[in-house]
Amino acid sequence: MWKYVLKRLVAMIPVLICVTFLVFMIFQYAEGDPARMILGFDATEEAVAELREEMGLNDPKIVQYGRYMWNLLHGDFGTSYSTRMPVVTELASRFPNTLKLAAVSIVVAMAVSISLGVLAAIKQNSIFDMFSMVLALLGISLPTFWIGLICIIIFSVHLDWLPSGGSEGLRSMVLPVITLSMNSVAAITRTTRSSMLDVIHSDYNRTAKSKGLSKSEVIWRHTLPNALIPTLTVAGIQTCFMVSGTIMVENVFAWPGIGRLLVSATQNRDVPLALGCIILFSVSFSLINLVVDLLYAAVDPRIRASYKNK
């Protein structure tokens, strides 16, 4: 098991190198001069040229990238062009907010979607089943930013129940969590229902019923654990979408997280800060996929046995 985890962690290295190289080069060919943005548009050409030389912006692009990666290997993410603060400091102040928002959203999404999916499978072709599938279809179809704006209009503007933005207290988390988890609830609900229907009529379920187990025991002890593999796969993908979806949600609700910081860094052509945000997102995606693979082993003993041989 530990060998498998180590292999997965080592495999993250080339992924991060490719991601940082592509993003770094995209920023290099984007419009705008970082030195000009730092000094302002009223600065003289001499001052801009001097700052460019000081920052090493006149060096070949591959040299600049190599210097950035060398510093990164030593734990130096660089200094933000716009705030003149270390990128690590900026990330450390914002990442807990993004992590909190994404974690609460995935917990809510999993709790709601698995419950709806199980009930929809048990009550197949009932009104509840059709109603939940219609809601799931709507949840998948509606854009995240549109859901957020509608939530603000209804619950903040008209009803004045919840704040429309910020991060002060639990009340300010309600609308961002609803918005961020809506698409995931829809996707995981449909997958859970489909997987439950595949398993619910299996031979071992009928054997469990013949032993005198109650319907609830059969569902929660036999059917659901065997139906969770496809659900965990979709949940892992949706968790990645949630982490990246915070970029949109944080800007809609003025949530002070990494997503909002990334948008600001991109607008200001703040290369070190933007790269720091993207590296953090990339590491988060890789770790989420690793956790999902390990959860497979926790749910299915056959997968756990195969991991021991890797």
Side-chain angles (χ1 to χ4, degrees):
M1 175 69 77
W2 290 111
K3 290 182 179 179
Y4 174 76
V5 173
L6 183 60
K7 288 180 181 178
R8 289 293 299 270
L9 293 176
V10 172
M12 290 170 55
I13 297 175
V15 173
L16 293 176
I17 292 175
C18 292
V19 168
T20 54
F21 180 78
L22 289 174
V23 175
F24 188 89
M25 290 305 169
I26 289 172
F27 273 104
Q28 292 299 313
Y29 288 99
E31 293 184 1
D33 185 353
R36 172 66 66 182
M37 292 182 178
I38 292 172
L39 295 176
F41 292 97
D42 296 330
T44 63
E45 291 296 332
E46 291 77 10
V48 173
E50 183 179 348
L51 182 59
R52 284 186 60 84
E53 185 66 30
E54 179 185 339
M55 296 172 62
L57 298 177
N58 294 326
D59 296 337
K61 295 178 176 57
I62 193 67
V63 173
Q64 295 182 48
Y65 175 72
R67 183 167 55 238
Y68 176 81
M69 292 302 295
W70 176 255
N71 293 333
L72 188 63
L73 288 175
H74 293 80
D76 182 8
F77 281 72
T79 303
S80 170
Y81 293 163
S82 53
T83 64
R84 309 305 296 168
M85 293 180 62
V87 171
V88 173
T89 303
E90 294 281 358
L91 297 178
S93 64
R94 298 292 191 98
F95 185 63
N97 292 328
T98 295
L99 186 62
K100 179 169 61 175
L101 180 60
V104 173
S105 297
I106 191 60
V107 169
V108 170
M110 289 293 290
V112 173
S113 58
I114 291 179
S115 300
L116 286 177
V118 170
L119 291 175
I122 295 174
K123 301 178 181 295
Q124 185 182 11
N125 298 326
S126 66
I127 295 177
F128 177 84
D129 181 24
M130 291 184 286
F131 180 71
S132 62
M133 289 303 99
V134 169
L135 288 180
L137 182 60
L138 288 174
I140 292 176
S141 304
L142 299 177
T144 300
F145 74 90
W146 188 85
I147 296 174
L149 293 175
I150 293 300
C151 286
I152 290 175
I153 292 172
I154 295 175
F155 297 105
S156 297
V157 177
H158 290 295
L159 298 177
D160 195 23
W161 288 353
L162 297 166
S164 61
S167 59
E168 299 179 0
L170 294 176
R171 294 179 69 249
S172 60
M173 288 189 65
V174 175
L175 294 184
V177 166
I178 292 174
T179 302
L180 191 57
S181 61
M182 187 70 74
N183 292 115
S184 296
V185 167
I188 300 173
T189 297
R190 290 170 63 88
T191 303
T192 303
R193 176 185 181 274
S194 177
S195 184
M196 285 287 295
L197 290 176
D198 289 339
V199 175
I200 204 168
H201 300 298
S202 60
D203 292 338
Y204 56 80
N205 266 356
R206 284 192 290 268
T207 302
K209 291 178 183 177
S210 66
K211 290 181 178 179
L213 296 179
S214 64
K215 186 176 181 179
S216 61
E217 288 180 312
V218 172
I219 292 296
W220 296 108
R221 291 176 55 186
H222 295 275
T223 308
L224 183 58
N226 288 282
L228 275 181
I229 296 297
T231 300
L232 287 176
T233 302
V234 175
I237 296 172
Q238 291 300 318
T239 302
C240 292
F241 286 160
M242 280 191 184
V243 174
S244 61
T246 56
I247 298 174
M248 184 70 67
V249 173
E250 287 177 2
N251 281 275
V252 171
F253 292 98
W255 184 268
I258 296 294
R260 194 178 181 199
L261 187 64
L262 176 58
V263 172
S264 175
T266 303
Q267 292 172 342
N268 296 326
R269 205 168 180 271
D270 192 338
V271 180
L273 188 56
L275 277 171
C277 294
I278 292 171
I279 289 172
L280 196 55
F281 277 128
S282 300
V283 171
S284 299
F285 294 164
S286 299
L287 291 178
I288 288 169
N289 287 324
L290 176 59
V291 170
V292 171
D293 286 347
L294 296 179
L295 286 176
Y296 290 160
V299 172
D300 194 330
R302 295 169 299 178
I303 298 177
R304 184 162 58 249
S306 67
Y307 282 173
K308 290 180 180 179
N309 298 325
K310 291 185 178 181

